[in-house]
Amino acid sequence: MTALDRQFVRLRFGALAIPIGLLFWLDSASVPITILLAGLLAAYNGVAALAIQKKSVPRFTRPMAVLLLVLDHLVVSGWILLFATPSSSLPYLLYALVAAEAVFRFDLWGGIGTSLFFTVGIILFQTSDLGLAISVRDAILRAIPTVAVITGLGAAVRAMNTEIRGTRRRLDQTEQLRNVLGELVGQLDVSRMLYTVIRCGLEILQMDSGAIVLLDEDRGVFTLRAAVHLPEAIEGTAISAGDGIVGRVVRERGFVTLDQSPLFDLPALNTAGYSWVFGTPVLLEGKVSGVLHLQTRESERRLTRWEKEALEVLAQQLAVALRNVRLFEETEKRARRLELLNRSIDQMNQKLFEPELLDIMATALTGNLGFAAAQIWLLEQSDGALWRRAGHHTTRNAPPVPGRVERGMGEIGQVAELRVPIVTNDPANHRQLSLNPWMSEEGIQAFAGFPMVVGEQLLGVLAIYHRRPLDRNTIELLTLFAQHAATAIQEAHLFHLATEQTARLGAVNAELERANQHKAEFLANMSHELRTPLNSILGFSQLLLEGDGGILTRDQRQDVDIIAQNGQHLLVLINDLLDISKLEAGKAQLHRGEVEVEPLISECVESVSSLAKNKKLELSATVSAEVGRVFADGPKLKQVLLNLLGNAIKFTEAGSVRVTAERQGAELLISVRDTGIGVPPDDAERIFESFQQGQSGISGKYQGTGLGLAISRRLVEMHGGRIWVKSTPGQGSTFTFTIPQRAVPEVIDLTTAA
C-alpha cells in the first residue's frame, strides 16, 4: 500500500466538507441532490479506505485507480450542474483538482485525459441547454491554461515527492546494506552468512524469495546452499547450469534479468508462479563460484540502477566473506597439517638412530597426514639403483611396485634422474606413471615424488599416493617433509658410521694404551739395567783419574776423561728416560713439604754457573722478598729449574740468563729469561712434547733428547701449575712456570685474625 493512495483517501474525505457547508445556504430543492452526491463520494471513498485497512493488495491496481478517478469526475460534474454559473470559476477549479489527482496517478496522460473529459463536458452542457452560458471556444480557452498549470504543478510535485521518497528509500536501503556488510565482516559461519545476505536482499529490493547457489569444487557441480521463502527448493540439491538463471549467470558472468520461461534451472521452481528473477554472480579469484538470485511474482516489477548495483554489492561482499572464510579454513588446515608434520618429525627424531626410522617415516605419512600410500626409496651407491626400503598404505591392496628400480625408469626413477619433484592430479593421463590400473581401483587421484637431497648428494626418493587432488599447501608440506626426511636419513647414516668408527678407534686406543704401557715398563726396566753398569764405568773411570791404578800418561788421562764425560752424558739421558717413563706410567709421586724458594734458586744457579762461565754469559737471580716458602716437592722443583737453566745456557751464545721469582696472588711465579736464539711461534707448543725439539735441535747443532721440557711440564702440572714460553726468534726466550703457593705462615696473629 503506497502513501499516495492513503493521501488521496484522506483528501476525498476532506472534500465532503464542501457539500456539507453548502447545505446551510442552498435552497431546499438542491439539498437532496447535494446529500446524494456527498453520499456517493463517501461510499466509494469508504470502499477504498476498507481496502487500505485490510491491506488486501500491496497497492491500488490501475483499473481500481481509473474507477475512482471516473467517480470523482461524475461527482464533480454533479456539483457543477448544481452550483455553476456562467461567471463561476468553480467548474474549472474542481476539474483542475481532479486533473491533479489524475496527473499524480497517471503522469501527463492523466492531465490530458482530464482536459479532454472537461472539454467534452462543456460541449454536453451547451448542447443540453443546461444553462451554462459559455461558448465552447471560451470553455476551451479557459480550461486549457488552467488544466495545463495544474497538470504541470502536479507533475512537478509528484516528481519531487517521487525523488524524495526514492532518496529516503535508498538511504534506508543503504543503511540496511551497511549493517549487513558489517555483519559479514569477521563472520565464519557460512550458513548464517548466506541467509543474512538473502534476507537483506529481500528487504532492500522487496522481493518475494531468494536463494544462493555455490559451486561444490570437490564434485564440480553447483548446489543450492541457502533459500528463503522457497518451499519448493531443497538445500543441498545439485543444480545443473542450464538455461535458467544459474546457467545464464555462469555463462554471462554478470547481472542477468529473466522474465520468460525457464526462469530457473530447478524444474520445481518454474511452476511456482514467479514473473521475474534477478541474478548476479559471486566471483572468487575471477571464477564464478556461486549465484545470488532473487525473484518476485509482480509482473510489472523492475529494478532501478541503484537496486541492481545494491544486489551486485551484496554478491561482491559475499564473495569477500567467502574468500575470508576460505583463507581462514586454509590457514587452520595448514596449521593442523604443520602440527601433524611436527608430530611426525618428533616421531622420527625419537627413532633417529634406530633401524625402524624409515618405517616411522612411511607410517607418519599415511597415519598422521592421511595419504593413501607412501614409499621410501634409497639410492645404493654400489649399483646406482633405487631400492624400496620402507612402505605403508591404507588401501585395500599395496601398490604393485618392484623392490628395485633403475634410475630413469618409471616415476620413481625419473624423480631420481631429474632431481626435481613430479606432481600430478591427473595420474591416468600422465605418461610417466605405470600404476594406472591400481590407481583406478583404489581411487587414487594424485601422485607426488620428491627427491631426497642433502647438499649435492641424492639419498633417495619419497613417493606419495593420495585419494584427493594435491593443493599448493600440501605440496609445500610434503616438500618440507622430504627435506627433513633426507636430513634425518643422512644423520642416521652418519651416526652409524660414527658409531662404527668410534668402536674401531676405541679398540685402537686400547691397543695403543697397552703398547704405551709396555713401552713405559720397558724403558723403566732398561733404564735401571743400563744405569747399574754405567755407574760402575763412571766409578772406575773416576778411580783411574784419581790414580788408584797408577799414574796415567797424558794420552791415557785424556781417554779416561772422555770416557767419564760420555758416561756422565749417557747417565743424564738414562735418568731422563727413567723420569719420563715413570711419569707416563703414572708411577711418579710428589713428596710435598715446605720449601724455601730463595735457597733453592741460589743452589740451582750455583750448579750451572760453571757452564755459564765457560760461555762467558751473565747469570743472575732475583727473588722477591714476599715469596717466602712454597708447599712443593723440592727435588722435582729443582729438576724443573735446572732443566730450564740448562736449556737457556745451551741455546744462548752471548748475553745473559736471568732467573726471577715473585708471588702473584696465591701462586709462585718463576721465570728464566735468556738472550739466545729464541723459539719460532710454530714450535711454542711442540717443544713441550716428548722427544721434540725446535728447528735448531733438529739441525743437529745442539745435542739433546727432547725430554727436558716434557718432563718439566709434567712435573709442574703434577703440582697444579702451568708452564709456557714467550719468545722472539733471534732475541731470546722467557720460560715461565707457576706453583700454587700453599705454605703455612710461621706465626698466626690471633688478635688480627679476630
Side-chain angles (χ1 to χ4, degrees):
M1 192 68 65
T2 62
L4 183 63
D5 293 326
R6 297 189 185 94
Q7 292 174 1
F8 283 144
V9 168
R10 297 190 188 97
L11 182 62
R12 292 191 187 92
F13 276 116
L16 292 175
I18 299 175
I20 294 174
L22 294 175
L23 292 176
F24 293 100
W25 58 274
L26 289 175
D27 54 19
S28 57
S30 301
V31 170
I33 299 177
T34 302
I35 295 175
L36 178 62
L37 292 176
L40 179 62
L41 178 62
Y44 71 78
N45 195 54
V47 173
L50 290 176
I52 293 175
Q53 185 176 1
K54 292 182 179 180
K55 300 180 180 179
S56 59
V57 291
R59 60 175 58 89
F60 284 160
T61 59
R62 182 178 297 273
M64 186 174 183
V66 172
L67 177 61
L68 291 174
L69 193 61
V70 170
L71 293 174
D72 287 342
H73 278 286
L74 293 176
V75 172
V76 168
S77 300
W79 282 340
I80 291 175
L81 292 174
L82 287 174
F83 310 115
T85 62
S87 62
S88 173
S89 299
L90 181 60
Y92 312 109
L93 178 60
L94 293 176
Y95 270 112
L97 291 175
V98 176
E101 178 182 351
V103 170
F104 272 104
R105 284 200 176 279
F106 307 107
D107 296 328
L108 183 60
W109 289 108
I112 295 174
T114 302
S115 300
L116 294 175
F117 183 80
F118 175 77
T119 304
V120 172
I122 294 298
I123 296 173
L124 291 174
F125 296 157
Q126 287 283 18
T127 57
S128 302
D129 193 19
L130 296 177
L132 191 60
I134 183 173
S135 66
V136 175
R137 177 175 176 276
D138 292 339
I140 293 175
L141 292 177
R142 296 178 63 182
I144 290 177
T146 303
V147 173
V149 171
I150 297 301
T151 300
L153 180 60
V157 172
R158 184 185 180 195
M160 186 179 297
N161 288 338
T162 301
E163 184 67 24
I164 292 174
R165 285 194 301 271
T167 302
R168 182 178 299 172
R169 181 168 178 266
R170 284 194 296 271
L171 289 176
D172 294 339
Q173 292 172 336
T174 302
E175 181 65 20
Q176 293 175 359
L177 186 60
R178 188 184 66 82
N179 293 335
V180 171
L181 298 182
E183 291 183 16
L184 294 180
V185 175
Q187 178 65 253
L188 298 178
D189 187 345
V190 176
S191 179
R192 182 177 178 181
M193 182 191 308
L194 299 179
Y195 281 106
T196 300
V197 170
I198 295 174
R199 290 191 174 94
C200 177
L202 295 179
E203 186 174 355
I204 291 177
L205 304 183
Q206 296 182 358
M207 293 290 168
D208 295 331
S209 61
I212 292 179
V213 175
L214 295 182
L215 177 64
D216 187 342
E217 296 184 356
D218 293 337
R219 296 189 297 168
V221 297
F222 287 92
T223 58
L224 185 65
R225 292 292 302 274
V228 175
H229 300 155
L230 276 178
E232 302 86 352
I234 300 176
E235 295 183 11
T237 303
I239 297 178
S240 60
D243 295 329
I245 187 64
V246 175
R248 290 283 300 276
V249 170
V250 171
R251 288 191 295 272
E252 297 182 15
R253 300 173 57 86
F255 186 87
V256 174
T257 300
L258 293 181
D259 61 345
Q260 295 180 356
S261 183
L263 299 179
F264 303 96
D265 299 271
L266 195 61
L269 296 179
N270 287 320
T271 60
Y274 292 103
S275 300
W276 290 89
V277 58
F278 309 96
T280 187
V282 179
L283 298 175
L284 281 176
E285 299 177 355
K287 179 181 179 182
V288 179
S289 296
V291 175
L292 166 64
H293 63 84
L294 305 177
Q295 44 275 345
T296 180
R297 291 184 172 88
E298 295 184 26
S299 59
E300 298 181 2
R301 182 69 168 99
R302 300 292 188 277
L303 291 186
T304 64
R305 186 179 65 178
W306 185 92
E307 289 175 331
K308 175 183 174 182
E309 293 174 353
L311 189 61
E312 291 176 342
V313 168
L314 269 178
Q316 293 171 4
Q317 292 303 314
L318 176 60
V320 173
L322 291 175
R323 185 182 299 112
N324 293 337
V325 171
R326 180 176 298 180
L327 292 176
F328 178 78
E329 291 177 349
E330 289 181 355
T331 302
E332 276 197 333
K333 185 177 180 181
R334 182 176 178 83
R336 287 194 300 269
R337 287 182 175 176
L338 288 176
E339 182 181 357
L340 294 175
L341 176 63
N342 291 332
R343 187 185 305 170
S344 302
I345 291 175
D346 290 340
Q347 292 177 354
M348 285 190 289
N349 291 336
Q350 293 173 6
K351 303 290 184 180
L352 186 59
F353 307 121
E354 298 185 15
E356 60 267 24
L357 172 62
L358 298 180
D359 292 330
I360 291 296
M361 291 181 181
T363 305
L365 288 168
T366 56
N368 293 343
L369 300 179
F371 296 106
Q375 299 167 354
I376 306 293
W377 298 75
L378 295 186
L379 179 67
E380 290 293 337
Q381 299 298 331
S382 58
D383 60 358
L386 293 161
W387 291 79
R388 180 166 50 87
R389 298 305 185 188
H392 194 264
H393 64 91
T394 58
T395 55
R396 294 188 303 272
N397 300 312
V401 294
R404 180 181 180 275
V405 173
E406 294 287 345
R407 292 183 61 171
M409 301 299 294
E411 61 271 21
I412 306 299
Q414 284 292 325
V415 173
E417 183 68 20
L418 301 176
R419 291 197 178 191
V420 294
I422 294 179
V423 180
T424 177
N425 288 326
D426 187 15
N429 298 319
H430 200 280
R431 60 184 179 83
Q432 294 175 333
L433 297 184
S434 58
L435 302 180
N436 288 333
W438 173 80
M439 290 183 181
S440 300
E441 294 174 1
E442 300 293 344
I444 302 299
Q445 297 186 18
F447 166 80
F450 298 89
M452 294 188 292
V453 180
V454 175
E456 296 297 328
Q457 182 182 4
L458 175 67
L459 300 182
V461 173
L462 172 66
I464 297 296
Y465 302 90
H466 199 32
R467 289 191 175 96
R468 292 191 301 274
L470 297 174
D471 55 19
R472 184 183 61 185
N473 292 333
T474 305
I475 295 173
E476 292 177 357
L477 184 75
L478 287 172
T479 302
L480 291 176
F481 188 93
Q483 293 173 355
H484 185 84
T487 304
I489 293 172
Q490 179 75 351
E491 290 179 354
H493 180 65
L494 293 177
F495 173 79
H496 291 301
L497 290 179
T499 302
E500 294 176 0
Q501 190 68 19
T502 301
R504 294 193 190 98
L505 290 176
V508 172
N509 287 335
E511 189 66 27
L512 291 176
E513 186 66 25
R514 287 193 296 270
N516 190 50
Q517 185 71 20
H518 293 159
K519 180 205 72 172
E521 293 176 357
F522 171 77
L523 288 176
N525 293 332
M526 289 302 298
S527 297
H528 179 73
E529 295 296 332
L530 290 173
R531 188 162 53 177
T532 300
L534 186 58
N535 285 332
S536 298
I537 294 173
L538 291 174
F540 283 114
S541 64
Q542 188 65 32
L543 291 175
L544 290 174
L545 290 174
E546 292 177 356
D548 289 347
I551 299 175
L552 301 176
T553 64
R554 182 176 180 182
D555 293 337
Q556 291 174 335
R557 190 173 185 88
Q558 288 179 351
D559 293 338
V560 172
D561 190 41
I562 291 173
I563 291 173
Q565 290 179 4
N566 289 333
Q568 188 65 37
H569 178 67
L570 183 58
L571 181 62
V572 172
L573 296 179
I574 293 173
N575 286 335
D576 287 344
L577 286 173
L578 184 59
D579 289 339
I580 195 66
S581 63
K582 287 182 178 180
L583 290 171
E584 290 181 351
K587 295 181 178 180
Q589 297 180 354
L590 295 179
H591 302 281
R592 296 177 186 268
E594 293 185 16
V595 180
E596 292 287 348
V597 177
E598 186 174 3
L600 178 67
I601 293 177
S602 298
E603 182 180 352
C604 293
V605 170
E606 183 66 23
S607 298
V608 298
S609 59
S610 60
L611 298 176
K613 186 175 181 180
N614 291 336
K615 299 184 72 172
K616 297 180 181 181
L617 300 176
E618 180 183 351
L619 180 62
S620 61
T622 302
V623 181
S624 179
E626 70 273 7
V627 169
R629 293 173 292 173
V630 67
F631 190 72
D633 187 327
K636 289 183 172 57
L637 190 60
K638 181 179 179 180
Q639 184 179 358
V640 173
L641 189 55
L642 286 175
N643 281 336
L644 296 180
L645 286 171
N647 283 342
I649 293 172
K650 182 194 297 186
F651 296 106
T652 303
E653 300 298 332
S656 62
V657 176
R658 300 182 184 278
V659 182
T660 60
E662 59 183 348
R663 181 176 178 179
Q664 287 188 354
E667 292 182 331
L668 170 66
L669 189 144
I670 299 177
S671 299
V672 177
R673 180 177 303 170
D674 62 62
T675 57
I677 61 175
V679 179
D682 295 340
D683 293 339
E685 284 296 326
R686 190 172 62 84
I687 60 176
F688 288 101
E689 299 176 3
S690 300
F691 305 102
Q692 297 293 329
Q693 291 180 309
Q695 295 298 327
S696 58
I698 295 176
S699 66
K701 181 178 180 180
Y702 300 97
Q703 299 293 327
T705 60
L707 294 174
L709 290 178
I711 293 172
S712 299
R713 170 179 247 177
R714 291 179 180 269
L715 292 176
V716 169
E717 290 176 349
M718 286 177 66
H719 281 84
R722 52 196 178 92
I723 185 170
W724 68 91
V725 63
K726 291 183 179 180
S727 178
T728 302
Q731 298 182 10
S733 304
T734 300
F735 286 83
T736 305
F737 68 93
T738 62
I739 301 295
Q741 189 164 342
R742 301 186 179 93
V744 180
E746 296 180 354
V747 180
I748 298 177
D749 190 348
L750 298 178
T751 304
T752 305

